[in-house]
Amino acid sequence: MMLLFCGGYIVRMRFYTVTAFYVKFLILCLNIQIKNAETNSMGSCNRYKNYIVVFFLGIFSFSLFAFDEAVYKQFIPKIKTVQEPQVVGQYIIFTQPEYIRHAGIAFEFEQYKTVHHFVRVPVSRESTGAGILFYILEIPENIGEIKYRVELDGLWTNDPTHYKTVYDHALGLSISQIDVPIHRYYKTQVLENGLVQFYFKGAVGETVRLAGSFNNWDPFMYELTEVFPGEYFLVLPVPKGEWLYAFFIGSTRYVDPTNHLTRFSTDGKSASVLVVQN
């Protein structure tokens, strides 16, 4: 049970609706077991409750782990030792020593209002250590420097793994700072005046076409332009309403990877959902 829970706890809690459902489920199950306690021994009742808690933690941890599973699977093998924050593409990997019991981090771009919790690198049963603490940050758009403070076992301080600090006059203390390349993230999005920017990232030199319910699924009407190597764009006026669409490379159909809203179209295939309100 602990291995399952630790694996799931890797991802920060974002599925509040799913969480609320399983909390209600747990309460219901506990109420049933309390009623059964009138006819069962206390030991038997406690055993049933333990089973319920195990089930709850397993389901709950699975919902957490599902969100950023690909990102964490990509970076966990790279975390071998405690080192300076590592900029890898659009992410920063922060680490702290395994002897720290709890570590948190807060960022200036969030006005230090949110504390993000480090988690431990999963360790094998043969390992004698607790596992290095780590946190992975996706670098926000159009930011060239990350200013932050860390909390180590209840004490807020500069990052001991990073040498660069600056003085924050508003806070009246020094903070850690990392210089990062400015990232700009492109995605399919509704612009002003009913215009929609469609975006697709793929291999260089492809012919990427767009079709949807707004053009009667004609795959030859609209072709995206390769603006950057492997990055394709098309700005198109789309009437107000809810529409289904997909990208096509040859006869292969792709949903929009930048849009998590999907639905089955009338032909039974998955399609992305676009909502135009203006």
Side-chain angles (χ1 to χ4, degrees):
M1 181 273 288
M2 288 304 299
L3 289 177
L4 179 60
F5 178 68
C6 289
Y9 190 65
I10 286 175
V11 181
R12 289 179 291 132
M13 184 171 67
R14 299 185 184 182
F15 291 90
Y16 297 107
T17 303
V18 174
T19 302
F21 170 81
Y22 284 110
V23 168
K24 292 179 180 179
F25 175 81
L26 177 63
I27 293 173
L28 174 61
C29 291
L30 288 177
N31 286 336
I32 294 173
Q33 294 306 319
I34 290 172
K35 292 180 180 179
N36 290 341
E38 296 176 358
T39 57
N40 296 330
S41 66
M42 184 59 67
S44 176
C45 181
N46 288 336
R47 185 174 67 254
Y48 289 143
K49 288 183 179 180
N50 288 336
Y51 292 155
I52 295 171
V53 171
V54 168
F55 174 79
F56 168 73
L57 291 178
I59 296 296
F60 176 63
S61 61
F62 175 81
S63 67
L64 297 182
F65 187 66
F67 189 84
D68 289 326
E69 180 179 0
V71 172
Y72 279 84
K73 280 187 174 181
Q74 175 185 354
F75 289 117
I76 284 178
K78 302 178 185 294
I79 305 173
K80 302 296 185 181
T81 61
V82 177
Q83 54 188 338
E84 279 198 74
Q86 300 295 302
V87 179
V88 183
Q90 65 193 64
Y91 299 94
I92 304 177
I93 304 174
F94 297 89
T95 55
Q96 294 297 332
E98 64 179 38
Y99 62 78
I100 299 294
R101 290 172 295 177
H102 175 270
I105 188 169
F107 299 99
E108 182 201 44
F109 63 81
E110 296 177 327
Q111 293 80 48
Y112 302 104
K113 293 180 179 180
T114 302
V115 179
H116 305 275
H117 302 287
F118 284 63
V119 294
R120 296 192 184 275
V121 174
V123 296
S124 63
R125 293 183 178 180
E126 293 76 18
S127 175
T128 57
I132 295 171
L133 288 161
F134 75 100
Y135 176 76
I136 298 175
L137 171 72
E138 184 175 8
I139 301 172
E141 187 176 11
N142 296 327
I143 289 184
E145 56 188 22
I146 301 294
K147 297 179 179 179
Y148 67 100
R149 299 204 85 207
V150 295
E151 176 263 311
L152 304 176
D153 288 337
L155 176 65
W156 283 99
T157 182
N158 295 327
D159 187 349
T161 71
H162 186 56
Y163 69 93
K164 184 173 182 179
T165 61
V166 295
Y167 188 78
D168 190 309
H169 293 277
L171 297 177
L173 44 79
S174 64
I175 59 176
S176 299
Q177 177 178 309
I178 304 172
D179 296 323
V180 297
I182 295 178
H183 287 270
R184 181 167 181 81
Y185 305 114
Y186 296 102
K187 63 181 180 179
T188 297
Q189 59 182 324
V190 178
L191 307 176
E192 297 179 350
N193 301 321
L195 295 176
V196 177
Q197 173 187 273
F198 292 94
Y199 171 77
F200 183 85
K201 187 173 183 179
V204 176
E206 297 280 8
T207 298
V208 181
R209 301 182 185 276
L210 169 73
S213 55
F214 47 78
N215 76 331
N216 210 20
W217 290 101
D218 183 344
F220 300 101
M221 184 177 296
Y222 302 119
E223 181 178 331
L224 281 70
T225 301
E226 187 174 8
V227 179
F228 307 113
E231 298 188 70
Y232 302 83
F233 295 83
L234 174 67
V235 176
L236 190 70
V238 178
K240 181 178 180 180
E242 183 174 293
W243 308 95
L244 302 182
Y245 69 98
F247 298 108
F248 292 83
I249 299 178
S251 60
T252 304
R253 172 171 167 164
Y254 299 89
V255 295
D256 188 343
T258 71
N259 181 357
H260 298 298
L261 296 177
T262 60
R263 184 184 302 167
F264 289 110
S265 54
T266 54
D267 59 1
K269 298 179 181 179
S270 184
S272 298
V273 180
L274 173 68
V275 180
V276 181
Q277 296 180 336
N278 55 356

